[in-house]
Every structure is written in structure tokens, then in C-alpha cells.
Amino acid sequence: MNEQFYWVKLTIGVIATIGLYSVLYRETKFYRFFEHLFLGLAAGFILVALWKETLKPLWWDKMTGSVTIDDVTKVSTIDQPGFWIYGFLLPIGLMGYLVFSKKHNWMSRIPIGIILGFWSGQQVQIWWNRWGAQIYGSMQPVWPTTTDSFTRPYTEGMAPADQAYIAAQLYPSQAISNLIFVITILAALSYFFFSFELKGKFLKGTNTLGRWLLMLGFGAIFGSTVMARFVLEIDRMSYIFVEWVDQTSKMFPGGG
Amino acid sequence: MQYLDTGKYHVLFTLLLVFFILFNIRRAKGKKDMFVRRIPGLNAIDDAIGRATEMGRPVLMVPGIGELNAISVQALNIFAQVTKTAAQFGTPIRLCCANAAVFAVAQETIRDVYQAQGQIERYDVDSVRFISERQFAFAAGVSGMIHREQCAATFFLGEFFAESLIFAETANAVGAIQIAGSTQTVQTPFFIAACDYVLIGDEFYAASAFLTREPVLVGSLIGQDWAKFVVVFMIFCGFITNSMERHQVTDMKRVDNDATADVEAFSEMVPVEPWANGKPVLKRRADTWLFRQFNPFITKEQVTVDRPLEPEPEPTTATGGGS
Amino acid sequence: MKFLTQLAQLPPEYNPFWAKEPGNDALLWIFLTIGVGIVGMLLLTRVPTRARRPIVWTFTFLSGAFYVIYYLWPMPIDRDAREIPQGFVEQGGFFMKDALPRVADIANVLTFLLLCLGIFSLTKIHSARVVKKQKDWFFSVVLLVAMVVMVIVGYWDYILKEFNDPNALLTKAENWGTVNYAYDLLFDGLIQQMDAAMFSMIAFFILSAAFRAFRIRSVEATVMMASAILLMISLMGAVDYQWSELIKGWTGDDPAHMLNNLNLSQISGWVKNYLQIPSIRALEFGVGLGALAMGLRIWLGLERGGVSV
Amino acid sequence: MSTPEKSFWDKAQTLDRRVLYAVLIVLTATSLFFKTEIPVNPDDSSKDLYVSLMTIDPSKTVLIESDWTNSTRGESAGHFEALMRILMFRKVKFVVYSIADAQAPQVARDALMRIQEERKGQGLKEYEPWVDYLDIGYFPNAEGHLQAVGNNIRTAWGGRKERDDTGKERGIFESPVLSNVRVVGDAGLVVVVSASATIDIAVERLYGKVPLAFMVTGVMGPNALPYYQAGQIVGIGVGLKGVYDVEYMMKYGVNYRPDGATKAKVLYKEDSVVVAPVTEGTTMDRGARYFLPLHVALTLMILAIIFGNVAMFASRRKKKEAK
């Protein structure tokens, strides 16, 4: 890529970044300009991608099929036959546009109903796949199989047979951790009962404990997401203060 | 076969859950005043709208950036209730969508609400807007709108991803009352940190039952609770039986073979080798009864099926295209 | 019945009923299909009001039923494309398994066909603003111009790359022409950078949200704050290193020492595995059940109110 | 309502968010200019990644799946650059392809050119296209494409042509880079540099056929680590820490004791494995530059939280005293 173009591209990117960042200070005309520019470009891009990346490969190509013609022998081979039935999707999709019609707007619910129908049917299909293994995974054993040591011994450098033996055992420290796991999941589940009143000290206590444990989990998620977000910000700073400044000084040597 | 190759257990279990939900919906028919636990965020809806009305500023609603599915539909169900109150007070509303299909549904829903309230003259077509399908363009557009219109109350309910915090903090900056909830667990902590009221987990799904007290919805909620009881019960029994079984001595162990080029995955039992230190061999995780229920034991014979073959299709050549 | 058997016999790629020869044959069938579809649409406009709801529901029910039946029906395992199904059950299984990828396309294609609805609304709102010279109309001009320019440049670039470039030379910048540069500028120089700018703004918001919310006010807030801070500290490589050096000092660099479990990465890993995972899992069970219940209500047409189909 | 004079602590408690933003910008931007070396304990997964990259047979070609774009440049560019530097140091031939995004090849190409220029500046040998590496661009339909590569790489990539060193267009399998690759298993390693779910596809389609290694963003880490724990991939670098780990090992090696040193900086699980550092070109770059700002930002965040709490308690005490 040639240098001038690269510099122009960088500069525009830097201005746009600053434009959007300006909303951190307050909403100004400067921000408004870049916001609308962004929305316009994004809408235009979606219209391009609509055909290029979705309708053509997902619909048109599959509907019409494709043929390869050999350069030499001129014999054509069918790569993929055309599935004519996809043609029905066009009228059905177009019905969605009747949402603006006063008289026939009910027809727009047909494509919407189909989309929602597929989604709903899938819920029945995927429930077990998604949660079955997790239900089993929550049934952790809590009775240690050995009391030779409180924690799992350090195995590096041991004979493989001994390592395998240790790996197959449940040590007390793990058993305690597993018990905490089971208590946590049961307490947190109890927080999500809606249809009956929680009475009595035990149930109320479990409910509160469940809420605290949930908050603890949320805190952990919060903490572990922070790094990725800060890196993005640091990279933007590097984009402006390192890359753009470098390229600018390359383009205008002696300028500053 | 699906219910043979991955076990009958899960089909039965799923059908049990389906039965619980449908049975309770049926049972609840015609009943009134059924108990639903208080959900803090939802009591605040009226206050939030009241405040927006006093200040003469709009109420903003965002049904997430997900596709059209039950999550966005549920968000719109809650928004329909919000709009009902707003229509009574004559408070202006803004509903921003990031998906065209959701936009179509939202358009109709909101119009229906105004119509049902007899306030159709107050309905503004442009109050329901499509902003952008692109995640961060949508974020930029909505933040701009929050700032410009100084929204007094904001509702962020649905599938939110990284943009959740952009919305929540922007709305906080203009002093809006915020009620939020995301089915994306990873985003919930950000809402908790930045918003006034947060619907956690399936409080989001329980919300419409709580707001409308419709028998169908409350019934379904009771069914969900039954299902949760079953899960609690299973985990409770499971951790006890699993703990006991891990102490049983065994001389066979289960091996699960991966799929290869010519055979599907299958399981077999092989004798175990005794430990070198002479201690008894105890059952491992994969040898327990429960593990077998969740990971059915499929023998090699079961996965080997012989069917006659269709003759090799002739190489297909197009007749018209070549010339 | 014979016809149905044939339909199920082969995967659609080999089945002469579904697959047509590309070219005139396929196009003819496509036009016929679209024609039939349009006629169907016209017929639907004549449907009486009370039949509307059942019609919409039928579409919803049938779409959902595919996946539900797929789940319950015995499915073939270890199957070759040319194997012949034995008996009705297998025929059904073969048929549905072949149909699954096709059916999965339908929802996608419909969603995308609806996309222009959103763009239409966006254009409508902003052109109205320009025409009526409402407040901020200038910015609506910016939006509309940006959109049009992007569409023109985007399709032009697409046509050049797709149809005029058999050897994929344009995948390299040194072979680019003006249009390709313009497209790169708009997409990579603007859209991508603005995406990144908005995305990175979250870092600022995380900071201000944490400053405001993480106060020792209630047990809940304190617990959340404590686990967040613990995780953040464990992410700092330098602190993690110093802490582990400290522990090494206590243990005399003995890898078998029990105190090694106090390493920051060990502690934060324990918090994640034994506290975060179960509490979040409990929450997600509920969300999953909520989705299942909602799905059932939509599928069976039990939802009432504005949104129901 | 009379508002009494606000004390310093009251004000501090409700500090204007813009002050925090300004501090964050200033601190991260200035700390960017200090490329410091912070001692760390590299993660085990990063060590495995580095060891496998440094011990790969130099006569075998490495396939690089580059599935990142500028929106995740912060983490992925660091990974990609470190990978380039290691491979060029070890004189391993490589192929770069993308399946996630049509923009990805250009982004990877730019990064590659940066490294080439840097090496030119340092007087090192540049990698020549066609002879030392191939850049074969984007393949749509990720799932189908990787399946095709797994089945028969020669047909999957057979259609691509590149200019050879004389400027003539030839099929890529005639190039010295790919001439010895008949099946995908002939490649020494497939490295996926990704910011998206293509890692799942890579494991599904290529696992068992060729060794796999990942370099992913922090967000993808939780998705990818289970594959490492299950032994399906040989090593993985996660997020910025992963970049820094690799750069740190590039400088200090693994189990490597320079003359006179009694202890290696980085220890490996197996004592017998000794991997030397990368001795030419740059070793600490993007990871090292971003690592200090990251520490600064995290410290700022923790200090801000502490400050907020101190302010809260101080103002509470003041109010109590005033009463």
C-alpha cells in the first residue's frame, strides 16, 4: 500500500476516533457528525453485505446451482444442482414489507411467525444438549476416597503408575471444594423460584446466600473482562500516539 | 437413531419439562390472583415513567441487539406494558431496534398498544426506530440519542453484548432512571454496576407474568419452577450417589472410543489393571451409574449398520451449458 | 406413497425432484415457484379476518414442528450418502437429516430479506427531516450521503473483484485501482476504526461504573467488589510474579509445598471454578427453562397480547 | 431543601467521571512510551505454545490461519507479529490463509510487511514470497472449507495461483513452500490466530490430522482453553498476557541458562526440555509496550475504587460528627 494513502487512511481514522471519543466529554456537533457518518456508512455497508455475503451465497447460488466449464475440453460439470424450492422464500420474505400497509399488515406476521417457529422448535431440541452435561457435571462427589494427604500431592517426577493412582483419588481439599460447588449451585438455584413464598429461616437464608453467591460470580466476571477492554483502549492510544505520529513524521520529515 | 444413539433418558427428561409447563398452563386457566414473587425492578416501572412525565422527557426502550427470537419478543412484551403506562400519561417514547425483523414486530406491537388504549392520535410512527444492524454503529446512535433527548427513563431488556455498558453509563450520565436485564450472563455484572434496577437471569422471563398476572404466563412460570425443583432434586441425589459410588471397588472400567474414519464412537468395558501400590481400584467418574445415564453406553454392534447402497450416480454433465 | 418414498430416498443433491440442472431448467422452475408464491400472496389478501390468526399460527407451528419431530424421530447413525433407507422410520429419518441444513437456511434467508425494512425506515425518517428542514437536518444529509456513497463504492468494488478478476489479483493492495482504494478507505479506514473506537470506549465506562458502584454499602456490593478486585489483581502479571516470589521465599522453592496453593492464579482459578461457575450455571438453567417455556408458548400459539403471532 | 456546604470528601465521592477518563487517557498514553520489561511467570499454555513453535522441524511448512481484523488489533496483532518473528528466525516456511473475514488477509499482509521492513532495517534476511512463504488469501464458507482442507488439501487449495519469483503465475503447490505438502498432516503445525469462533471449526475439522496451536484474544480464551486442557491443541496464547508471555520467552528462552546463570528465568514442566531464546531481531515489542499501560490502567481502577470508598467513609464520619 502506498505511503500517502496509508497516511490519509490513518489520519481519517484518528479524526473519526477523536470525534467519537468527544462524547465522553459531552455531546457536541462534532460527535453528531461522526455518529451520523458512522450510521450512514454502516447502513450502506449492510446493503452491500446483504447481497455479497448473505443472499448470494445462502440463497441465490443454492437456488440456481453452479456449473464449471473446463477450459480445454469445454465439458461442463455440475458442481451443485439448483434447488428451485428456495424461490418460495422471496414472496414470503416480501410479505414482511406489508407491515407498513394499513389493510394487509397481518401478512407481515407470516415470515415473522416462521422465524419464531423455527427458534421455538429448536429450544425443545437443544435444551438437553446444552444443559444435560452441566446437570451431570454439578453432581460432584464430596466424600474423599483417601485421607493420605489433605491436598493432592505434588506428582512431578513420580513413576507414572503412582501419578495415575494419585490422579484417580479424591483428596479432602477437593472434596471440600466440591461441597462448596454443590452448595453454591443449590443456593443460587433457590434464588430463582418465583411461584411460592419463601418462608422460614432456612429458606430465606438460602435465598440470601444464593444472591450473595451470584454477586460473587458477577464480580469475578467483571474482573476478568476488564483486561480485554483496557487492551482495546490502550491499542487506540497506540494507534493515535504511536502509529499516526510515526507515519506523520515519516511523511513530513523535519516538520516537528 | 436419536433416542437410541444418545439415550432415551434425555428425551424423557425434556418431555417431562414440556409436560410440567403445559400441565401448569392448563391448570392455571381461569384462576386469578396467583402468587408471583416480588421482582424489585418491575415495581419501579411506574415511578420511572412518572418521573419522565414530570420532566417532560422521553422514555427509551431497547430490546437488545439479538435477532428475532423469544428473547426480543419477551422484551417487547415488557415494553408493551411500559408503553401502556406511557400512553396513559402521554409520555413520549423511543424504541430503538438493531434488527429489522424485531423492528417490524415492535412497530406493530406499539401501534396495537396505543390503539387498545384509545390513544392512537398520540402514536408517533417515528417513535419506533431502526438504528443500525452493526453493533457499534447502533451503540453510537443510541448514545447520541440518549444525550440529545435527555431521556429520563431507560429500559434495556433483551440480548445485550459488549455495548451494554456504553448504554448504561451514557444513560447514567444524563441522570436517567435505568431498568435493565440481559439474558447474556456475562453482561449482567455491568448492568448491576451501572443501573438502578436489574432483572437477573430468568427474572426477565418472569417479568411479563408478574406484570400482567395472565393465567397462561403464571401457569408457565409455575411449570418452570417445577422443572427447577427436578433439577435441584437431581443434583441433590446425584452428588450423594456419586459420592457413595466412588468408594465401590471395581475390576472393569468403561472406555469411550472416539469416532474414526469407518466407525462411529462406541463404548466398551475392559478389565482394569490393579494399582502398583496394591490399594483397591475404586470406580472412576466414567464408571458410575449416573454417568452412564447421561452418557449412554453404545456398543460397537449398535453403531454398525449395513444398508444396501444406491448405484454410484453417473457423472453428471450439463447438456446445455458447454457450447 | 411411492412418490414420498422416492423423495426420501436420496439426499437432495442427488434427488432429481429437488435438484434441477443449473441454467434454463433451474431458472424455469424458480420463476414458476416465485409465480406460485405471488399468486398465493394475492389469495391471502382475500382471506377473512378471523382466518388470519390460524393461518399465521399454522406457519409458526409447522416451522417449529420440524425441529420438534426431528428431535423425537429416530435418526440414522453412521450413514453414507448413497445408502438406501429400510422401512418407513428410516425413510423419515433420512429425509429429515437431509432436510436439516436446507431448513436452517430458511430462517437466515428470511431474516436477511427483511433487512431492507430497517434501511427503509432509516431512510424515511432522515429524508423527512431533510425535506422538512427539521433540527439537525444537516446531519441527516451526512447520513444519507454516506449511505449512498458506501453502496455505490461497495458494489463497484464487489463487481470488480467478483467478475473482472479471475486470478484474484485484487486481493493485493499493489494491484488496486481508485475504487478499491476508496472502498478500503471507507471500510477499513472509517467503519472499522469507528467500531474499534466505540468498542474501546467501554474501558472508560468500566472505570467510571466501578468507581461509582463498588462501595462497601451492603454485603452484596462488597462481595462483588472483593471478587472483582481479586480477579483484577491476579491479571496483573507483575503482582502475580512478586507474590509467587514471596511464596517461594516461604516454601524454600519447594514445588511440593502446600503453600503453593496460595499463588494468585491458583486462588483466582479456585474462585472461578468453585464459586463463579456454579452460581452462573444455576442462573443459566433458569434462563434456559424460560426460553424453553417461551418457545413452547409461541410454538403452540398460547402467547396473548400484541406480540403473539 | 437546604444543601449544606459540601465537604472535600463529598465532592470526591461524586467525582466527575470526566476526570477519571482524562486520567486514564493521560496515564495509558504516556506509559505507552516506556517499553519496560516486567518479570512474569508465563502461563503453562503459553510455554507449550512457545516450545512447540521453537522445536518444530524447520523442513516442514507451517499453515497459519489468520482470522483477525483491525477491531481486535490490540491483542491479535501482537500474537501475529511474535509468530512471524519466531518463524522467520527459525527459517520455517509458512502459508497464510483466512476463513473468518474477507478483510483478514489484508490486515495480516500489512502486519507481515511491517515485520519484513523491520528486519530489513536490522540487516536481517527478508522472507521472499513464493520461495519462503505464501499468502493465499481468503476462503469463504469456513466450515466447508476446513473440512475440504482436512479431506484433501491439494483439491481444496488447488485452484489458487500465485506469482513465482520470476513473476509467472503458477499453481501454489508448485511453490517450494507447499511442494512437500500432500495431505494436511505433512504440515508441521497449524497455527490459528483468531478473534472468533473459527477455533471451534479448526478443532472439529482438523484435530487428529495435524498438530494445532492457537493464539486468541482474551475474550475467546474461556472457549479455547478447554481444548488445551483436553490435549486437542499443543499450546495456546490468550490475550495480551499471552503475547507478553511469548515475547518474554523469546527473550529468555525456556529452561535456558545463559553462561554464568544458575537459574533459568522461565521454568518448564519437563526439566529435559531446553529452548533457547530468539537471538535475532526484535523480541519484546507490542506485548511489552502494552503490558505496562495495562498494569497502569488496572492499578488506576483499583485505586479509584479504594479512593471512592475512603471518600464515602470519611464523608459519613464528617456528617456524624456534625450531628
Side-chain angles (χ1 to χ4, degrees):
Chain A
M1 209 180 303
N2 69 50
E3 295 276 307
Q4 283 91 354
F5 174 73
Y6 183 55
W7 181 77
V8 170
K9 193 169 131 181
L10 267 179
T11 311
I12 288 179
V14 168
I15 297 171
T17 304
I18 296 172
L20 290 178
Y21 268 17
S22 71
V23 78
L24 290 172
Y25 179 66
R26 91 195 146 79
E27 205 266 353
T28 57
K29 295 218 155 128
F30 191 48
Y31 172 76
R32 218 171 293 173
F33 176 83
F34 283 100
E35 176 202 329
H36 285 84
L37 180 70
F38 194 9
L39 287 175
L41 288 175
F45 181 75
I46 285 164
L47 284 176
V48 178
L50 174 66
W51 178 254
K52 183 168 115 174
E53 277 161 30
T54 52
L55 286 184
K56 186 171 184 290
L58 275 181
W59 179 63
W60 181 258
D61 284 352
K62 289 189 179 172
M63 185 165 71
T64 54
S66 62
V67 186
T68 328
I69 303 168
D70 196 290
D71 287 346
V72 189
T73 57
K74 300 285 174 213
V75 170
S76 53
T77 334
I78 298 177
D79 290 334
Q80 208 188 21
F83 295 106
W84 52 275
I85 195 117
Y86 278 33
F88 274 125
L89 294 177
L90 185 66
I92 295 179
L94 289 181
M95 281 189 221
Y97 290 80
L98 291 172
V99 71
F100 294 113
S101 144
K102 287 229 162 71
K103 210 168 147 201
H104 301 301
N105 64 0
W106 72 276
M107 275 162 71
S108 71
R109 293 183 180 192
I110 290 179
I112 286 164
I114 293 177
I115 296 173
L116 283 175
F118 281 134
W119 191 88
S120 306
Q122 274 169 327
Q123 295 312 302
V124 179
Q125 194 198 11
I126 63 181
W127 202 90
W128 182 263
N129 290 348
R130 198 171 282 172
W131 308 114
Q134 301 206 3
I135 294 179
Y136 177 74
S138 307
M139 302 171 178
Q140 308 251 11
V142 298
W143 182 11
T145 56
T146 174
T147 46
D148 295 347
S149 149
F150 180 68
T151 54
R152 179 187 290 272
Y154 184 74
T155 55
E156 214 71 21
M158 277 187 191
D162 293 332
Q163 284 190 6
Y165 172 75
I166 288 171
Q169 303 303 316
L170 187 69
Y171 286 90
S173 66
Q174 288 167 291
I176 295 170
S177 298
N178 286 352
L179 185 64
I180 292 175
F181 185 105
V182 174
I183 291 174
T184 307
I185 196 166
L186 293 181
L189 263 170
S190 81
Y191 178 72
F192 291 104
F193 285 116
F194 293 101
S195 61
F196 61 94
E197 214 160 352
L198 291 172
K199 280 180 195 151
K201 240 186 187 157
F202 176 73
L203 283 180
K204 271 193 182 151
T206 321
N207 187 297
T208 318
L209 179 68
R211 196 170 160 90
W212 290 352
L213 288 166
L214 273 171
M215 290 301 153
L216 202 142
F218 286 142
I221 294 179
F222 192 103
S224 45
T225 322
V226 167
M227 176 163 89
R229 301 294 184 247
F230 275 135
V231 172
L232 291 169
E233 190 263 349
I234 293 164
D235 185 59
R236 281 295 94 187
M237 293 299 125
S238 162
Y239 180 75
I240 299 172
F241 293 109
V242 180
E243 279 168 55
W244 182 75
V245 170
D246 274 1
Q247 189 67 19
T248 310
S249 58
K250 234 194 253 176
M251 295 292 297
F252 308 101
Chain B
M1 293 183 204
Q2 188 129 10
Y3 61 68
L4 288 180
D5 71 354
T6 53
K8 302 167 194 128
Y9 198 66
H10 72 128
V11 174
L12 286 178
F13 188 78
T14 312
L15 289 180
L16 183 72
L17 300 188
V18 169
F19 168 75
F20 279 169
I21 294 165
L22 296 181
F23 174 71
N24 277 294
I25 289 178
R26 174 138 195 101
R27 216 170 57 120
K29 233 173 212 173
K31 280 195 193 167
K32 270 176 199 158
D33 293 331
M34 279 175 293
F35 177 81
V36 178
R37 188 194 70 162
R38 203 175 68 86
I39 299 173
L42 297 174
N43 289 332
I45 289 183
D46 288 349
D47 299 343
I49 299 173
R51 189 159 157 265
T53 317
E54 266 170 39
M55 297 167 89
R57 294 192 199 159
V59 173
L60 174 77
M61 295 172 269
V62 183
I65 64 162
E67 296 189 345
L68 178 63
N69 53 32
I71 301 165
S72 32
V73 168
Q74 171 65 9
L76 292 176
N77 273 342
I78 303 174
F79 292 163
Q81 297 298 319
V82 174
T83 311
K84 208 160 130 188
T85 318
Q88 285 160 2
F89 289 128
T91 319
I93 60 156
R94 298 281 177 272
L95 203 159
C96 299
C97 302
N99 178 290
V102 177
F103 166 73
V105 181
Q107 187 78 259
E108 277 216 66
T109 312
I110 300 302
R111 184 170 52 204
D112 286 356
V113 171
Y114 276 94
Q115 200 137 36
Q117 295 292 306
Q119 307 274 6
I120 193 72
E121 72 284 353
R122 278 184 179 163
Y123 169 64
D124 169 14
V125 186
D126 292 346
S127 61
V128 180
R129 288 184 199 175
F130 172 84
I131 304 287
S132 182
E133 191 107 349
R134 200 176 177 84
Q135 184 182 14
F136 289 108
F138 182 69
V142 173
S143 330
M145 181 186 275
I146 294 172
H147 274 293
R148 280 193 292 279
E149 310 220 352
Q150 294 281 307
C151 302
T154 55
F155 296 85
F156 304 120
L157 298 168
E159 265 181 299
F160 287 87
F161 298 86
E163 73 288 346
S164 62
L165 197 61
I166 302 183
F167 294 159
E169 274 295 287
T170 311
N172 182 281
V174 300
I177 292 190
Q178 303 180 70
I179 297 169
S182 176
T183 51
Q184 292 293 319
T185 344
V186 182
Q187 298 306 326
T188 311
F190 299 112
F191 276 147
I192 293 179
C195 296
D196 302 296
Y197 300 96
V198 181
L199 303 182
I200 299 171
D202 64 338
E203 285 182 344
F204 170 70
Y205 286 108
S208 51
F210 179 83
L211 288 171
T212 61
R213 307 278 165 156
E214 246 185 65
V216 171
L217 300 178
V218 180
S220 145
L221 198 62
I222 298 173
Q224 282 159 253
D225 273 5
W226 284 25
K228 271 176 232 166
F229 264 122
V230 174
V231 172
V232 167
F233 181 73
M234 276 171 69
I235 294 178
F236 192 79
C237 296
F239 95 87
I240 292 173
T241 58
N242 253 346
S243 304
M244 316 252 282
E245 234 179 316
R246 288 286 288 270
H247 281 263
Q248 292 171 0
V249 179
T250 181
D251 51 1
M252 295 292 271
K253 72 173 175 185
R254 170 179 168 161
V255 177
D256 293 308
N257 296 289
D258 283 334
T260 58
D262 33 59
V263 190
E264 289 270 317
F266 66 95
S267 314
E268 57 187 341
M269 295 298 277
V270 296
V272 286
E273 296 194 6
W275 295 120
N277 57 14
K279 295 214 170 147
V281 179
L282 304 178
K283 278 191 181 175
R284 299 161 315 140
R285 191 182 128 92
D287 303 323
T288 54
W289 175 79
L290 268 167
F291 185 86
R292 192 153 162 172
Q293 303 310 310
F294 282 80
N295 303 272
F297 191 92
I298 296 163
T299 58
K300 198 169 180 175
E301 290 73 47
Q302 270 173 302
V303 294
T304 330
V305 187
D306 275 318
R307 295 190 193 90
L309 288 183
E310 187 85 3
E312 189 77 45
E314 284 182 25
T316 38
T317 30
T319 41
S323 53
Chain C
M1 208 56 220
K2 182 108 197 308
F3 171 70
L4 282 180
T5 313
Q6 258 174 4
L7 217 59
Q9 199 82 318
L10 280 169
E13 289 87 332
Y14 306 110
N15 195 319
F17 178 75
W18 296 117
K20 300 288 170 204
E21 204 172 282
N24 294 338
D25 192 18
L27 283 179
L28 177 76
W29 277 86
I30 292 164
F31 280 122
L32 270 177
T33 318
I34 294 178
V36 170
I38 289 174
V39 171
M41 227 168 119
L42 291 175
L43 286 178
L44 279 178
T45 58
R46 310 241 149 221
V47 158
T49 319
R50 68 194 147 74
R52 291 174 180 178
R53 218 183 132 85
I55 290 178
V56 175
W57 177 69
T58 310
F59 276 99
T60 313
F61 180 77
L62 290 178
S63 327
F66 176 82
Y67 281 103
V68 175
I69 297 175
Y70 185 94
Y71 178 62
L72 298 175
W73 200 276
M75 284 293 156
I77 43 177
D78 187 27
R79 169 207 166 187
D80 192 73
R82 290 187 298 112
E83 269 179 276
I84 297 170
Q86 303 295 304
F88 175 70
V89 174
E90 277 202 349
Q91 274 172 8
F94 274 47
F95 179 69
M96 275 194 283
K97 203 148 200 174
D98 291 333
L100 184 69
R102 316 280 155 197
V103 170
D105 279 344
I106 295 177
N108 277 332
V109 172
L110 283 182
T111 310
F112 286 114
L113 280 172
L114 288 178
L115 195 79
C116 293
L117 203 64
I119 308 287
F120 174 72
S121 142
L122 197 69
T123 320
K124 202 180 87 183
I125 289 179
H126 286 278
S127 359
R129 221 184 255 175
V130 177
V131 172
K132 292 184 196 151
K133 289 265 161 70
Q134 276 168 342
K135 188 172 163 260
D136 280 347
W137 65 271
F138 167 73
F139 297 105
S140 297
V141 174
V142 172
L143 188 148
L144 293 172
V145 170
M147 185 163 95
V148 172
V149 170
M150 187 72 212
V151 169
I152 294 172
V153 173
Y155 274 104
W156 196 342
D157 172 83
Y158 165 68
I159 289 166
L160 286 179
K161 283 182 182 158
E162 181 84 10
F163 301 106
N164 288 341
D165 185 28
N167 293 328
L169 290 178
L170 286 178
T171 54
K172 294 201 176 144
E174 66 245 31
N175 303 320
W176 283 357
T178 320
V179 176
N180 309 110
Y181 274 119
Y183 179 74
D184 186 62
L185 194 69
L186 291 179
F187 183 72
D188 203 39
L190 277 169
I191 296 187
Q192 293 263 60
Q193 301 305 338
M194 289 203 269
D195 265 346
M198 283 310 289
F199 200 1
S200 67
M201 246 190 245
I202 299 169
F204 297 100
F205 293 138
I206 272 191
L207 181 62
S208 59
F211 173 72
R212 212 178 52 244
F214 288 164
R215 301 275 166 90
I216 308 178
R217 274 198 205 103
S218 57
V219 183
E220 284 170 29
T222 314
V223 165
M224 190 166 162
M225 180 185 93
S227 66
I229 290 186
L230 174 73
L231 263 284
M232 281 191 271
I233 292 178
S234 76
L235 288 176
M236 288 162 74
V239 179
D240 178 52
Y241 180 78
Q242 294 304 336
W243 181 252
S244 72
E245 288 294 299
L246 194 68
I247 287 178
K248 269 186 200 163
W250 296 339
T251 61
D253 214 354
D254 172 16
H257 203 287
M258 232 167 78
L259 281 180
N260 282 322
N261 289 319
L262 290 181
N263 271 327
L264 271 178
S265 50
Q266 297 281 336
I267 298 176
S268 68
W270 190 87
V271 168
K272 272 194 201 167
N273 288 336
Y274 293 98
L275 293 169
Q276 180 194 322
I277 289 183
S279 60
I280 300 309
R281 190 178 280 178
L283 185 152
E284 293 198 333
F285 278 141
V287 173
L289 275 172
L292 176 70
M294 183 89 191
L296 280 174
R297 295 201 301 267
I298 292 177
W299 179 48
L300 298 173
L302 296 171
E303 277 277 299
R304 300 205 182 278
V307 185
S308 73
V309 285
Chain D
M1 203 168 74
S2 69
T3 42
E5 183 85 356
K6 274 193 171 176
S7 71
F8 166 75
W9 290 116
D10 283 338
K11 281 186 207 154
Q13 229 201 112
T14 53
L15 185 69
D16 192 333
R17 66 188 72 221
R18 285 175 285 195
V19 176
L20 285 174
Y21 298 162
V23 173
L24 180 63
I25 289 189
V26 170
L27 286 184
T28 47
T30 41
S31 55
L32 260 179
F33 292 94
F34 301 94
K35 200 159 103 183
T36 30
E37 186 192 309
I38 297 167
V40 292
N41 293 321
D43 297 333
D44 286 341
S45 58
S46 311
K47 288 183 198 169
D48 281 342
L49 173 73
Y50 180 72
V51 169
S52 52
L53 284 175
M54 289 297 284
T55 49
I56 204 170
D57 178 359
S59 67
K60 284 193 168 180
T61 303
V62 169
L63 310 183
I64 300 170
E65 183 178 312
S66 169
D67 288 336
W68 56 283
T69 59
N70 273 329
S71 54
T72 55
R73 214 181 56 137
E75 292 165 295
S76 301
H79 280 304
F80 190 80
E81 288 163 357
L83 177 64
M84 289 294 111
R85 288 188 177 115
I86 293 177
L87 294 180
M88 289 183 182
F89 163 67
R90 298 213 52 234
K91 307 202 168 41
V92 176
K93 294 184 171 37
F94 61 84
V95 181
V96 185
Y97 68 96
S98 308
I99 57 168
D101 197 307
Q103 297 300 315
Q106 190 59 39
V107 179
R109 208 164 286 140
D110 291 346
L112 178 58
M113 287 307 140
R114 270 202 302 278
I115 302 292
Q116 293 270 46
E117 238 161 68
E118 177 193 284
R119 284 176 70 89
K120 201 158 119 192
Q122 290 161 340
L124 298 167
K125 187 186 161 285
E126 277 177 78
Y127 253 45
E128 275 179 58
W130 186 263
V131 182
D132 297 319
Y133 77 93
L134 280 172
D135 171 9
I136 59 174
Y138 169 68
F139 294 90
N141 182 9
E143 185 98 41
H145 183 71
L146 276 196
Q147 191 176 15
V149 168
N151 286 344
N152 187 342
I153 193 171
R154 290 245 161 181
T155 49
W157 287 357
R160 289 283 153 121
K161 287 186 173 132
E162 285 290 322
R163 290 204 180 156
D164 66 6
D165 36 354
T166 58
K168 209 179 118 210
E169 275 202 9
R170 287 158 70 188
I172 54 172
F173 282 96
E174 292 174 45
S175 139
V177 181
L178 279 175
S179 57
N180 57 355
V181 177
R182 311 211 152 265
V183 292
V184 71
D186 289 337
L189 187 68
V190 174
V191 186
V192 184
V193 185
S194 177
S196 68
T198 51
I199 49 170
D200 299 327
I201 306 176
V203 171
E204 280 163 27
R205 300 298 173 193
L206 299 179
Y207 169 60
K209 294 180 172 154
V210 58
L212 291 167
F214 290 169
M215 299 174 113
V216 299
T217 53
V219 178
M220 292 311 294
N223 279 26
L225 279 169
Y227 296 127
Y228 169 72
Q229 278 144 6
Q232 287 165 300
I233 52 176
V234 293
I236 176 171
V238 179
L240 187 67
K241 175 77 170 26
V243 180
Y244 186 76
D245 282 350
V246 170
E247 289 183 0
Y248 192 74
M249 288 183 282
M250 282 164 75
K251 184 159 180 193
Y252 292 109
V254 169
N255 275 345
Y256 177 78
R257 296 179 193 80
D259 298 336
T262 49
K263 233 183 98 190
K265 276 246 187 194
V266 180
L267 297 171
Y268 193 54
K269 56 188 174 189
E270 289 161 49
D271 290 333
S272 55
V273 179
V274 176
V275 178
V278 171
T279 48
E280 63 170 38
T282 318
T283 49
M284 302 282 248
D285 187 36
R286 201 181 280 266
R289 256 193 293 124
Y290 288 6
F291 211 47
L292 179 67
L294 179 67
H295 278 76
V296 170
L298 286 170
T299 314
L300 171 66
M301 180 136 169
I302 293 168
L303 288 180
I305 294 171
I306 295 172
F307 178 71
N309 280 293
V310 170
M312 187 181 77
F313 281 111
S315 85
R316 248 190 226 168
R317 174 174 288 182
K318 265 233 162 109
K319 273 183 198 142
K320 247 186 209 162
E321 279 168 10
K323 267 182 194 169

